[in-house]
Amino acid sequence: MTLHKIGFIGLGLIGGSIARRLRRLHEGLSIIATAGHASTVQEAYAEGLIENETPCGIDDFYDCDYIFLCAPVQRNIEYLKQLNGHIGPQCIVTDVGSVKSDIHRAVTALGMERQFIGGHPMAGSEKTGLSNAKEYLLENAYYIITPTAQSDETKISAFTELVRSLGAIPMILDYGQHDYATAAISHLPHVIAYSLVNLVRTCDDERQTMRTIAAGGFKDITRIASSSPIMWENICLSNKDQLLKLIDRYMDLLRDTRDAMAREDGDALMEDFTAAKDYRDSLTIPQKGVLNRIYELYLDLLDEAGGIATVATILASNHISIKNIGIIHNREFEDGVLRLELYDKPALDASVALLKKHHYVVYER
């Protein structure tokens, strides 16, 4: 794939990570950017990541092969309006937002469907900004691609290859299907977690008994309630229609469970709980127990031959056994691409120390 010039509008965690990867992959590639803060542009220029020392104007993006919109959804739509009529005929505009319907509707209203392909890299962290961007952030993470009704198949294929070159796993979905799926597996769980925490907060007594004894299951199921309230306010409002449908369905299921308990229908409860357990056990994501402590860590790992073997050798040579190991593909709001589970806390602590000593970036849960 031959790329000449790529533009970024917004250069934070995701945009910065993509830019770093492209800079390493494509010698001679021109990368330009603008951002909400001029200091971000200056920082990127100082490290040789982009060509411009001050924020670009809209006309500077005219001859780009691709323009990545990496600002919040509503700001991306404003930038779309500014770009309309100011980009070359071969330029493809894409975005990295976790909600697609709003921007696709804006693209249609602006008549830009032939020049837009939506995107959502499912990797991220509570950390933000260019300083936390890593060239391997997207490795082995799913990257959802949402073409428009008028997207050219050749352009879709080329963008898919670009995504694959970032180390990500491309998956093409209709934007409505994307928003419904992410509402179910990401957005609704956050709403439930926030609501459950608020339930306990408002039901607790003056001695804060519930807060004091909260452990195990409560902490596992509510961990994501520590995410950014501002970010989740924006996501909930942007994906309101899909999320409301799923909240209604969830409330129906919760009501069914309540009714089964009220009539002491153990068979109905057992059937529902068993079906849920079987489905949950089939998911290819890390399993966390409610009662048993999981001794796990995550670490960033370059996608290169022998990378996992090197980690395993470091631990084995220090007599540390690995209980479970796996690559994390859906890493949105999670840290690290490689998950290691150890047998006990001493093994976990020793593993963290060893891997940091060998200059790995390690995250503990």
Side-chain angles (χ1 to χ4, degrees):
M1 176 185 296
T2 302
L3 297 173
H4 302 286
K5 185 176 181 180
I6 290 185
F8 288 86
I9 297 181
L11 203 61
L13 179 70
I14 299 296
S17 296
I18 294 173
R20 291 193 198 284
R21 179 75 170 210
L22 290 172
R23 172 60 72 209
R24 186 173 72 84
L25 290 177
H26 300 278
E27 185 178 353
L29 173 66
S30 175
I31 300 178
I32 63 170
T34 191
H37 300 285
S39 58
T40 300
V41 174
Q42 293 166 359
E43 178 185 350
Y45 176 79
E47 69 173 77
L49 184 60
I50 60 176
E51 315 298 325
N52 54 294
E53 188 173 4
T54 57
C56 289
I58 289 298
D59 290 337
D60 295 322
F61 293 94
Y62 177 83
D63 56 345
C64 286
D65 300 310
Y66 293 95
I67 300 172
F68 283 85
L69 299 177
C70 304
V73 173
Q74 295 306 317
R75 288 177 61 191
N76 281 340
I77 291 173
E78 291 303 313
Y79 283 121
L80 268 177
K81 295 175 182 178
Q82 296 177 44
L83 289 168
N84 194 19
H86 292 269
I87 55 175
Q90 299 304 312
C91 177
I92 291 295
V93 180
T94 186
D95 75 317
V96 299
S98 65
V99 181
K100 314 311 304 178
S101 294
D102 280 0
I103 196 162
H104 272 273
R105 283 193 289 262
V107 165
T108 300
L110 291 167
M112 298 179 68
E113 288 182 283
R114 295 190 63 82
Q115 289 191 274
F116 181 82
I117 299 175
H120 176 201
M122 300 193 72
S125 168
E126 74 280 1
K127 304 175 185 68
T128 60
L130 180 63
S131 61
N132 290 301
K134 304 179 180 69
E135 67 176 65
Y136 46 84
L137 181 71
L138 273 61
E139 285 195 356
N140 293 299
Y142 287 115
Y143 196 123
I144 311 300
I145 298 171
T146 58
T148 72
Q150 296 183 29
S151 294
D152 182 85
E153 289 296 330
T154 303
K155 298 287 189 181
I156 297 172
S157 296
F159 184 65
T160 300
E161 287 307 307
L162 173 59
V163 166
R164 190 172 283 115
S165 75
L166 300 175
I169 304 169
M171 177 185 293
I172 297 177
L173 291 177
D174 170 79
Y175 70 85
Q177 182 184 8
H178 166 277
D179 283 0
Y180 190 64
T182 55
I185 57 94
S186 177
H187 306 168
L188 180 58
H190 280 78
V191 171
I192 292 170
Y194 283 122
S195 299
L196 181 55
V197 171
N198 280 329
L199 173 68
V200 171
R201 178 180 61 82
T202 56
C203 291
D204 210 352
D205 58 30
E206 293 181 356
R207 297 174 59 193
Q208 296 191 321
T209 302
M210 295 181 185
R211 180 178 181 177
T212 301
I213 66 175
F218 181 79
K219 288 186 176 178
D220 281 351
I221 202 171
T222 61
R223 176 183 59 82
I224 53 178
S226 293
S227 301
S228 166
I230 294 174
M231 177 178 69
W232 282 101
E233 176 201 7
N234 291 333
I235 288 173
C236 287
L237 294 179
S238 296
N239 204 18
K240 178 188 70 174
D241 293 341
Q242 303 288 14
L243 194 46
L244 287 175
K245 293 177 189 175
L246 285 160
I247 288 175
D248 289 341
R249 291 194 63 178
Y250 179 73
M251 290 174 67
D252 288 341
L253 288 171
L254 196 59
R255 193 173 294 108
D256 289 344
T257 300
R258 182 199 181 282
D259 291 345
M261 293 174 64
R263 64 177 185 267
E264 299 183 358
D265 189 345
D267 290 341
L269 292 174
M270 178 63 74
E271 182 179 349
D272 287 348
F273 294 168
T274 300
K277 179 185 185 305
D278 290 345
Y279 187 79
R280 176 61 175 80
D281 289 347
S282 73
L283 301 182
T284 54
I285 58 178
Q287 308 272 334
K288 277 182 176 276
V290 172
L291 299 178
N292 297 323
R293 168 73 193 275
I294 303 297
Y295 301 98
E296 63 183 357
L297 61 84
Y298 296 78
L299 68 149
D300 289 327
L301 184 71
L302 293 177
D303 189 6
E304 58 188 11
I308 295 177
T310 300
V311 171
T313 299
I314 291 171
L315 299 184
S317 62
N318 287 272
H319 310 291
I320 298 173
S321 297
I322 298 172
K323 184 177 182 180
N324 204 348
I325 188 170
I327 295 290
I328 306 301
H329 295 304
N330 182 351
R331 295 188 288 118
E332 194 169 35
F333 315 117
E334 295 286 354
D335 287 316
V337 63
L338 184 68
R339 174 186 178 267
L340 297 178
E341 183 180 343
L342 291 308
Y343 282 92
D344 52 36
K345 192 171 190 308
L348 174 64
D349 293 341
S351 298
V352 170
L354 276 168
L355 292 170
K356 286 184 176 180
K357 181 180 177 181
H358 285 80
H359 308 295
Y360 288 94
V361 179
V362 181
Y363 310 92
E364 297 178 71
R365 280 276 177 249

